[in-house]
Each structure stands twice: as C-alpha cells, then as structure tokens.
Amino acid sequence: MSSASDTGGRRGLVPALVVFLLLLGGGILLALAGARGTPAEPREKGDEIRSYLLAHPDVVLEAIERWQRSQMADVEREQSRRIGAAWRELAHDGFSPVIGPQDAPVTVIEFYDYRCPYCRRAHADTARLLKEFEGRIRYVFKQFPVLDRPGDPPVSATAARAAVAAFRQGCFPAYHDAVMTASGGLSEERILRLAQEAGCDLDRLKRDMGDPAIEEYIQKTLATAHALGVAGTPTYVVNRRLLEGAGGYERLKNAVKEALAEADAAAG
C-alpha cells in the first residue's frame, strides 16, 4: 500500500510543532507575568521562552505527542461514525461474497483488488484468521478494483465481477483462493480458466458476470469506500474500526480479539 499516510504524518508534524510552541510559549508568558506581578518586556519574554524551550525540549515533544493522539482519536471517531452510518451497505449489501455465520459477533470487511500484490500476500492471513476464529467472525469480501488504467484491459474489474458471480453459485472460496495464489499475471482468459478449475459452472459464471446489477454494486462500493477514506488495498474494517494496509497477521488478529472482547462484554 502507498506510503502517503507516512508522508502526511511528517507534514503534519511541522504545523503541530508550531502550534504547540505558540501554546506552550503563551502559557509560560502567563506564568512569568503572574510571578512578577507586572508584564515583562516582549524581548525579555521571548528570550525566557526560548531559553525554557531549549532547556526542556521534552516538554514540547510531549505536548506534540498528546496533540497528535487527540487528533488521531478525533479522526477515528469520525471514521467510526461514517462507517456506522454506512454499515448496512458495507456488511449486508447482498452482493459481496461472505464466509462465516450471519450472527457472528465480529464482522471483518476487506476491500481488495485481485491484482494488488499486498492483497495477494495478505491472502494467507485471511485464511488463517477464518480458521482460527471459525464461527466467531463473518468475513465480507468487498470488491475494490482500483488498479485498472484507462486504455488497458479491465482485469481487476473482470476478476471482481467473477468473484461475485462465483459467490452466487457457491464456488467463491475455491475461486478466490485460486486467483489469489495464481503465479504470474492475470488476464480475462486466465481468470475464467481459474474459475472453471475451481469448480464453477463457466457458462453460468459468464452470464452472471454480465448482470448490470453486479457492475452497479462495484461502482457503489467504490464510491462508498472513497467516502469512508479508503485509499488503498488491502483495507479492513473490523466491527467499524478501520485498518489500512497489509499490517501482518498479528495486527489483524489483535483487532479481531479486541472486537470479540467488546462484543462479549456488551452481551454479558
């Protein structure tokens, strides 16, 4: 996944530093003025603030870290609100392939593209998660074909339509595994061949792939994902908590365990 978030974090540090220097400086000014009983001269104030900050850089860093944590908490709350408002569409759209019981206490939603190398690498994590938490999670496979480029064959979109069509006839798990683990590049012909080898009825698959409702679902999913701030693949939603990137199995597992604990606490 792109490192744009890392760049954004570094850019955000500069204004954060400026803000906190100003705020901290203002606080010191008030403290000094109060101690003296009379306002200090501007130059004296500035020199004293500068001396204090140079002598106590850890105070500035602590203030910046606290501000950043507060900002991240605000972002997460807003994301959770947006996800909650779109939850029915996200988790129960009637098109996205699903593995796991309908009444599972935790729902995991994955936005992915079949040509995304990070998604392909994370496929083993998905399989492991489904096995370890069998019966306790409901896994929703959200089609998010974003790697197609104008003028090129729409391979990602073809694989996405085939995934929904495969789900309709009950061969999605085998299809998904076959496409995700296939070595080399993908093409429409190869996608169809892999679907057939996975046990799908190819004639029915082709008919269903042409259903305008599937294309409408994919376009709606793309729009909803962008509205939620999903910018790359894979992106996960674990009971309304957004996780970006292929962060490894432990991160995904811990998010599921936390969601299970919250669900158990709410039920008990």
Side-chain angles (χ1 to χ4, degrees):
M1 186 172 176
S2 169
S3 60
S5 60
D6 297 333
T7 303
R10 289 193 295 271
R11 289 175 181 168
L13 184 61
V14 176
L17 178 59
V18 173
V19 168
F20 272 101
L21 285 173
L22 292 172
L23 291 175
L24 185 58
I28 297 171
L29 277 173
L30 292 174
L32 290 172
R36 294 179 177 179
T38 59
E41 291 297 323
R43 180 161 184 162
E44 292 176 355
K45 293 177 181 178
D47 289 343
E48 290 174 0
I49 291 171
R50 182 175 183 275
S51 297
Y52 183 89
L53 294 177
L54 289 174
H56 304 86
D58 54 314
V59 174
V60 180
L61 293 175
E62 180 184 353
I64 290 173
E65 290 173 358
R66 290 180 63 182
W67 181 82
Q68 288 181 324
R69 287 196 298 269
S70 174
Q71 292 298 300
M72 285 302 300
D74 289 344
V75 169
E76 290 176 0
R77 279 192 292 269
E78 176 60 18
Q79 283 179 338
S80 180
R81 185 194 67 78
R82 292 183 181 183
I83 291 169
W87 187 250
R88 179 167 294 279
E89 179 184 339
L90 287 171
H92 306 280
D93 59 49
F95 287 88
S96 296
V98 177
I99 294 178
Q102 181 73 17
D103 60 349
V106 173
T107 294
V108 180
I109 299 169
E110 179 187 354
F111 291 87
Y112 68 98
D113 185 309
Y114 278 105
R115 288 197 295 156
C116 166
Y118 303 103
C119 299
R120 296 168 71 84
R121 193 179 305 160
H123 171 61
D125 295 338
T126 299
R128 186 177 171 187
L129 196 75
L130 285 167
K131 182 176 181 180
E132 182 167 349
F133 295 96
E134 184 177 2
R136 301 219 69 196
I137 64 172
R138 178 177 180 268
Y139 205 101
V140 181
F141 297 82
K142 276 287 184 182
Q143 307 308 309
F144 193 58
V146 293
L147 295 181
D148 290 334
R149 295 292 178 262
D152 293 337
V155 177
S156 292
T158 297
R161 289 198 303 272
V164 180
F167 180 60
R168 284 185 175 182
Q169 58 175 282
C171 59
F172 170 76
Y175 164 84
H176 184 71
D177 185 65
V179 178
M180 279 295 193
T181 59
S183 59
L186 294 174
S187 65
E188 181 175 355
E189 292 75 20
R190 191 175 189 207
I191 289 167
L192 294 176
R193 184 170 68 252
L194 288 170
Q196 188 173 34
E197 291 172 358
C200 298
D201 181 327
L202 195 56
D203 290 335
R204 179 183 173 186
L205 189 85
K206 290 179 179 178
R207 286 196 305 271
D208 286 342
M209 286 174 65
D211 185 349
I214 291 181
E215 179 60 25
E216 181 181 347
Y217 147 75
I218 291 174
Q219 293 305 317
K220 191 172 184 180
T221 298
L222 289 168
T224 300
H226 289 313
L228 294 176
V230 176
T233 53
T235 293
Y236 305 89
V237 178
V238 181
N239 271 19
R240 296 170 172 78
R241 177 188 174 191
L242 197 71
L243 295 176
E244 295 181 296
Y249 180 72
E250 289 302 318
R251 185 181 72 148
L252 195 56
K253 173 184 175 180
N254 288 337
V256 169
K257 290 178 71 174
E258 288 176 11
L260 282 171
E262 291 171 0
D264 289 343

